Amino acid sequence: FAQGERDEWERLYDKLLAGKEQVRVAFMGDSFVEGDILSADLRELLQDTFHGGGVGYVPVASPFTGFRQTIKTTSKGWTPYNIMQRKSTPEPYASDFFVSGWVAKATDGASTRWEMTTKRRHTDECRRARLLFICREDTELSVKLGEEEERTFSFVGGEEVRQIVIENANIASLEMKVISGAAGFTALGAEFDDVKGVAVDNLSVRSNNGQAMFWSNAAVNAQINSMRPYDLVVLQYGLNIMQADRHNYSLYGEQVEKMVQYVQSCFPTAAVLVMGVSDRSHKNEDGIVEMTSARDLSESQRSAAEAGSAAFWSTYEAMRKVGGMTTFVNNGWAGKDYTHINYAGGREIARALYFALLQGAQNYSRMLHDRLEQRKRVI
């Protein structure tokens, strides 16, 4: 775990160790972590240690909601778009993307119901919900919390990001409905967390090599960050750029450095962690063999992280320590494509990443203790 030079890491560790403020993590990635794979277990482990609850960010509508185990989403009346479809996404929706990569177009009466689950520890310990949207026309929404009566909210049309925040001792389900104003309504997503502890947002979009973040709206990112700032942003990308016969990834490394800079500009108080590409295998005349280009791509990502004063963690090395992708497949931790992990594989990688983050916090705590001892000796 190579830590960056920026003091945002000290700020992150201070908040984690003090335990008085919420710590928010954005886990930005591709299909490797789609459906809350890996991030669900990282969230669970962090919440075990530093408290917190809820599942973080979820889209209002998506074709992949049924795949996610950590929350149940039922939606109707929406047309969802992801950022990889930006060229076919109509305006103004194409210009409204948050780094989550999802927006949804509404019709009058469009609704979404979210239900908390017990698939992971703490996922049902939700005490705060946040609805994020843009309404360019006068809009009326209804929100129903559990079995309580519906509440109606009215908004005057405008270009800025709006939010509805609900706090309750226990949020088991929440339903939002667009009563009027659908023509000017952009749904950005919802968040479910606790009022304290750690929150982890899974912001994954399949087929994304990370550069899709440049197509998000920096103003939307900044507005949402001002509502609940991120303390750590994890960048998990690379699978969609890697090729078996390609070993020079210097040009992509330059793009990774720009990604780090973009994240730092949108989320200026956040520490940034570049998570190197995973191990991967492929089939050739010798059978199933390691794709050695994974090592080369990972090193390019490491160099880019260092150049951008971000931290770096090697997923490749963590997987190789337990036998690599072939072992993951043999153990039932990954698919037979020898590329994508499943929830079991995500658990293994999440544990390794969690212990690396925990080690960083412990090292920082020891450093603070040593500083205090030195001051005492000077006095």
Side-chain angles (χ1 to χ4, degrees):
F1 182 76
Q3 186 172 303
E5 299 174 1
R6 292 164 64 94
D7 59 8
E8 283 76 12
W9 280 95
E10 292 192 3
R11 178 179 174 276
L12 169 66
Y13 291 145
D14 279 334
K15 290 184 70 173
L16 279 173
L17 296 171
K20 296 179 180 179
E21 302 176 75
Q22 186 183 60
V23 174
R24 184 170 288 277
V25 179
F27 202 108
M28 298 173 60
D30 55 26
S31 57
F32 193 72
V33 296
E34 190 175 68
D36 221 7
I37 288 176
L38 197 158
S39 51
D41 290 283
L42 179 64
R43 179 189 302 115
E44 184 179 77
L45 290 166
L46 290 171
Q47 290 176 347
D48 282 346
T49 306
F50 301 105
H51 308 294
V55 299
Y57 172 86
V58 289
V60 168
S62 159
F64 312 120
T65 53
F67 177 52
R68 183 168 178 171
Q69 299 179 354
T70 47
I71 190 168
K72 181 180 178 181
T73 304
T74 307
S75 57
K76 59 182 179 180
W78 302 97
T79 303
Y81 302 99
N82 74 54
I83 203 165
M84 303 302 293
Q85 303 168 312
R86 70 198 184 286
K87 292 182 179 179
S88 60
T89 301
E91 292 293 347
Y93 310 99
S95 300
D96 289 343
F97 283 110
F98 175 50
V99 289
S100 65
W102 287 98
V103 295
K105 175 184 177 181
T107 57
D108 283 334
S111 66
T112 300
R113 176 181 172 84
W114 296 277
E115 297 176 58
M116 309 305 117
T117 73
T118 56
K119 295 290 185 179
R120 291 287 193 279
R121 295 188 297 275
H122 316 297
T123 52
D124 61 340
E125 298 172 20
C126 175
R127 296 173 180 84
R128 178 167 56 201
R130 188 187 311 268
L131 304 172
L132 298 165
F133 53 91
I134 299 171
C135 51
R136 293 183 169 87
E137 298 182 1
D138 292 354
T139 300
E140 190 172 8
L141 304 175
S142 71
V143 177
K144 184 176 181 181
L145 179 63
E147 300 304 318
E148 296 181 8
E149 293 185 7
E150 288 185 350
R151 294 180 59 188
T152 302
F153 298 84
S154 298
F155 297 87
V156 176
E159 293 290 327
E160 67 272 22
V161 177
R162 312 294 182 90
Q163 65 174 336
I164 298 175
V165 181
I166 302 104
E167 292 188 4
N168 190 273
N170 181 32
I171 299 176
S173 67
L174 185 72
E175 184 172 355
M176 176 185 74
K177 181 184 293 185
V178 181
I179 299 172
S180 63
F185 192 85
T186 301
L188 296 170
E191 295 172 347
F192 298 93
D193 55 32
D194 200 347
V195 295
K196 60 181 181 179
V198 177
V200 178
D201 293 348
N202 178 292
L203 308 177
S204 59
V205 179
R206 63 171 58 182
S207 302
N208 182 12
N209 64 23
Q211 296 177 84
M213 72 174 69
F214 303 140
W215 309 324
S216 66
N217 187 319
V220 169
N221 295 335
Q223 288 176 74
I224 293 178
N225 191 61
S226 70
M227 297 171 180
R228 55 347 146 260
Y230 282 121
D231 300 289
L232 172 62
V233 177
V234 180
L235 303 179
Q236 174 276 308
Y237 297 112
L239 276 180
N240 294 290
I241 206 76
M242 185 166 58
Q243 299 173 18
D245 57 352
R246 179 181 174 186
H247 296 277
N248 186 337
Y249 292 94
S250 58
L251 291 179
Y252 182 66
E254 293 174 7
Q255 294 303 306
V256 173
E257 190 174 348
K258 291 178 181 178
M259 292 177 212
V260 171
Q261 293 169 352
Y262 186 77
V263 167
Q264 291 169 344
S265 68
C266 292
F267 314 114
T269 60
V272 182
L273 172 63
V274 175
M275 185 174 167
V277 73
S278 57
D279 186 31
R280 185 176 176 182
S281 297
H282 68 127
K283 187 175 183 179
N284 64 15
E285 61 275 10
D286 297 320
I288 303 298
V289 297
E290 176 191 356
M291 192 178 290
T292 57
S293 54
R295 179 176 59 249
D296 303 312
L297 176 52
S298 182
E299 287 307 307
S300 290
Q301 291 172 308
R302 183 193 300 272
S303 297
E306 292 174 354
S309 298
F312 177 80
W313 186 75
S314 178
T315 314
Y316 172 81
E317 291 179 4
M319 293 179 68
R320 296 299 298 175
K321 284 180 180 178
V322 293
M325 180 55 78
T326 302
T327 297
F328 269 63
V329 174
N330 292 340
N331 289 350
W333 299 346
K336 292 297 180 65
D337 62 355
Y338 288 83
T339 300
H340 293 90
I341 57 173
N342 54 29
Y343 286 102
R347 186 178 304 116
E348 296 301 313
I349 298 174
R351 286 173 181 163
L353 178 56
Y354 161 76
F355 284 117
L357 291 168
L358 193 62
Q359 185 65 54
Q362 291 172 336
N363 291 342
Y364 177 69
S365 180
R366 283 194 291 268
M367 183 187 71
L368 290 180
H369 178 267
D370 292 343
R371 284 179 183 175
L372 181 60
E373 291 300 312
Q374 288 176 357
R375 287 173 186 160
K376 287 180 180 178
R377 287 194 290 269
V378 170
I379 293 172

